[in-house]
């Protein structure tokens, strides 16, 4: 695998909600994110150790799903290199935008399936004040309860994972750490990274008949026990627990999936200490028979995990 350097990390995700106040209450009071600020249409949220002003932009809308996915470049020069690569790629380009309260100008483009991406360099770093000042100087803000630590990854749906892989490799320089190879020759899913994390974005096959849909957004916890406690918090607050806590076979993360009030799927996950440090590591390939065994400890994947995405569609295959 060729190591990538131009993109530093997944920076933030914009999520649409048609139940703005209910979703905001969930993400702050129940899920445990912090509110950095808000404007007329959006709330800017972050986990307690996210260094940027925003890792989840929650936007009021008539629908649900993902507004855009943002990556931060590793330098101004790296940003310009990536822009040239995107412009030469043949994919749909929107061009430069001015940014928002959380970051400076950004370059926007679109994958073949309707998901909008942006890359930027200039950012607004979070500055803790008052009770949010951390006791330890090497964390971004105070730790409260069992809140998620940082944005970890998201999963997008597409009708052609192979084409999405080409998009990620061409435009972002991503590499594939793990993938699902179906018996019919199609790729059922790919897990991508731009750094030494095991993955920051996944793409799996769209089985609901939708276009440009979101499967889920995930924040990481320090330890598995945080997720076990969160399950009780979700239960107490009437949140729909879809599946878990359990351990994924692919990538080995300990997981818990719930639906926030508008129906967007969100996850808490713990990957342990797993990193991809081997510079010449090969992609791990999972077969269809591998996947039929279920998750790591035998939990079968429930049907809604294959069909539910946002925005919702009436058609399900």
């Amino acid at each position: 695998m060729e190591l990538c350097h131009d993109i530093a990390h997944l920076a933030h995700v914009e999520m649409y909600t048609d139940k703005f106040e209910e979703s905001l209450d969930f993400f702050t009071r129940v899920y445990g994110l912090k509110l950095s600020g808000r404007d007329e249409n959006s709330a800017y949220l972050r986990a307690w150790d996210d260094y940027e002003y925003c890792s989840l932009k929650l936007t009021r809308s008539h629908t649900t799903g993902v507004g855009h996915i943002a990556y931060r470049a590793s330098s101004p020069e790296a940003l310009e290199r990536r822009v040239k690569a995107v412009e030469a790629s043949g994919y749909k380009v929107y061009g430069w935008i001015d940014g928002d309260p959380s970051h400076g100008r950004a370059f926007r483009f679109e994958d073949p399936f309707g998901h909008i991406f942006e890359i930027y360099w200039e950012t607004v770093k979070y500055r803790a004040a008052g009770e949010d000042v951390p006791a330890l100087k090497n964390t971004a803000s105070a730790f409260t309860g069992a809140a998620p630590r940082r944005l970890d990854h998201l999963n997008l749906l597409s009708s052609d994972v192979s084409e999405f892989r080409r998009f990620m490799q061409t435009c972002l320089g991503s590499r594939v750490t793990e993938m699902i190879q179906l018996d019919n020759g199609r790729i059922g899913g790919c897990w991508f990274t731009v750094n030494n994390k095991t993955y920051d974005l996944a793409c799996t096959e769209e089985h609901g008949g939708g276009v440009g849909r979101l499967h889920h957004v995930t924040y990481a916890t320090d330890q598995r026990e945080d997720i076990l406690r969160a399950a009780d918090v979700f239960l107490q607050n009437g949140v729909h627990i879809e599946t878990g806590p359990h351990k994924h076979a692919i990538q080995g993360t300990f997981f818990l999936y719930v639906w926030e009030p508008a129906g967007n799927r969100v996850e808490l996950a713990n990957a342990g200490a797993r990193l991809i440090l081997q510079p010449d590591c090969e992609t791990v390939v999972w077969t269809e028979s591998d996947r039929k065994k279920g998750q790591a400890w035998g939990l079968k994947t429930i049907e809604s995990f294959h069909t539910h995405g946002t925005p919702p569609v009436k058609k399900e295959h």
Side-chain angles (χ1 to χ4, degrees):
M1 287 186 178
E2 182 181 352
L3 295 179
C4 35
H5 302 285
D6 284 349
I7 301 297
H9 61 87
L10 174 68
H12 61 264
V13 178
E14 181 182 25
M15 179 182 288
Y16 290 150
T17 172
D18 55 3
K19 298 181 179 178
F20 182 80
E21 295 300 336
E22 294 95 322
S23 295
L24 181 58
D25 176 69
F26 165 82
F27 279 114
T28 53
R29 183 179 61 84
V30 181
Y31 193 75
L33 299 184
K34 294 171 178 285
L35 178 65
S36 296
R38 57 189 295 181
D39 54 31
E40 184 179 355
N41 294 313
S42 299
Y44 299 86
L45 304 167
R46 51 179 291 282
W48 64 268
D49 203 25
D50 282 326
Y51 76 90
E52 292 182 281
Y53 183 81
C54 167
S55 58
L56 181 68
K57 181 178 180 179
L58 186 67
T59 297
R60 190 188 310 270
S61 177
H62 66 281
T63 186
T64 53
V66 61
H68 73 272
I69 303 101
Y71 280 82
R72 191 178 183 211
S74 56
S75 69
E77 296 76 18
L79 175 60
E80 295 301 327
R81 286 193 296 269
R82 276 297 108 194
V83 167
K84 290 180 180 179
V86 173
E87 289 177 330
S89 69
Y91 293 110
K92 184 175 181 178
V93 170
Y94 292 94
W96 293 99
I97 63 167
D98 291 336
D100 62 24
S102 68
H103 64 85
R105 71 174 193 145
F107 187 81
R108 283 200 169 183
F109 51 101
E110 186 176 304
D111 73 11
F113 311 99
H115 305 107
I116 297 174
F117 285 74
E118 68 180 24
I119 308 172
Y120 65 92
W121 162 247
E122 297 172 353
T123 190
V124 177
K125 295 183 179 180
Y126 181 75
R127 302 300 182 191
E131 294 181 354
D132 208 30
V133 174
L136 297 174
K137 291 183 177 181
N138 57 1
T139 60
S141 58
F143 177 83
T144 54
R149 180 166 192 147
R150 57 173 172 78
L151 176 65
D152 190 78
H153 69 270
L154 79 158
N155 185 327
L156 299 175
L157 297 171
S158 79
S159 58
D160 186 341
V161 179
S162 293
E163 177 57 28
F164 186 87
R165 176 179 63 178
R166 191 174 82 86
F167 166 82
M168 290 294 290
Q169 292 172 330
T170 301
C171 295
L172 293 168
S174 296
R175 52 181 174 144
V176 179
T177 56
E178 303 195 27
M179 60 180 279
I180 300 171
Q181 181 67 63
L182 300 174
D183 293 345
N184 59 18
R186 297 199 314 273
I187 297 177
C190 276
W191 283 254
F192 302 91
T193 187
V194 294
N195 48 43
N196 287 329
K197 282 178 78 273
T198 52
Y199 65 114
D200 47 57
L201 187 147
C203 178
T204 49
E205 272 197 327
E206 170 67 79
H207 293 289
V211 177
R213 296 207 298 164
L214 170 70
H215 191 272
H216 67 266
V217 174
T218 302
Y219 278 76
T221 65
D222 269 339
Q223 52 192 338
R224 291 180 179 179
E225 285 74 13
D226 292 336
I227 296 176
L228 297 176
R229 181 181 183 275
D232 285 334
V233 172
F234 293 141
L235 180 67
Q236 186 66 39
N237 285 275
V239 175
H240 172 60
I241 298 176
E242 183 182 29
T243 184
H246 207 79
K247 181 180 177 178
H248 279 303
I250 297 175
Q251 300 290 357
T253 49
F254 193 74
F255 68 83
L256 173 63
Y257 292 93
V258 301
W259 296 0
E260 58 88 34
N264 293 298
R265 180 188 287 109
V266 292
E267 179 190 17
L268 287 174
N270 177 262
R274 189 161 179 260
L275 294 171
I276 304 295
L277 301 177
Q278 183 181 345
D280 57 350
C281 65
E282 298 180 355
T283 300
V284 176
V285 179
W286 300 83
T287 66
E288 196 166 322
S289 60
D290 289 333
R291 298 305 304 127
K292 288 180 179 178
K293 296 176 184 177
Q295 300 303 326
W297 301 326
L299 178 72
K300 297 301 179 183
T301 305
I302 62 175
E303 183 62 24
S304 64
F305 201 73
H306 294 298
T307 57
H308 178 76
T310 48
V313 291
K314 293 181 180 180
K315 179 180 178 182
E316 288 190 358
H317 296 300

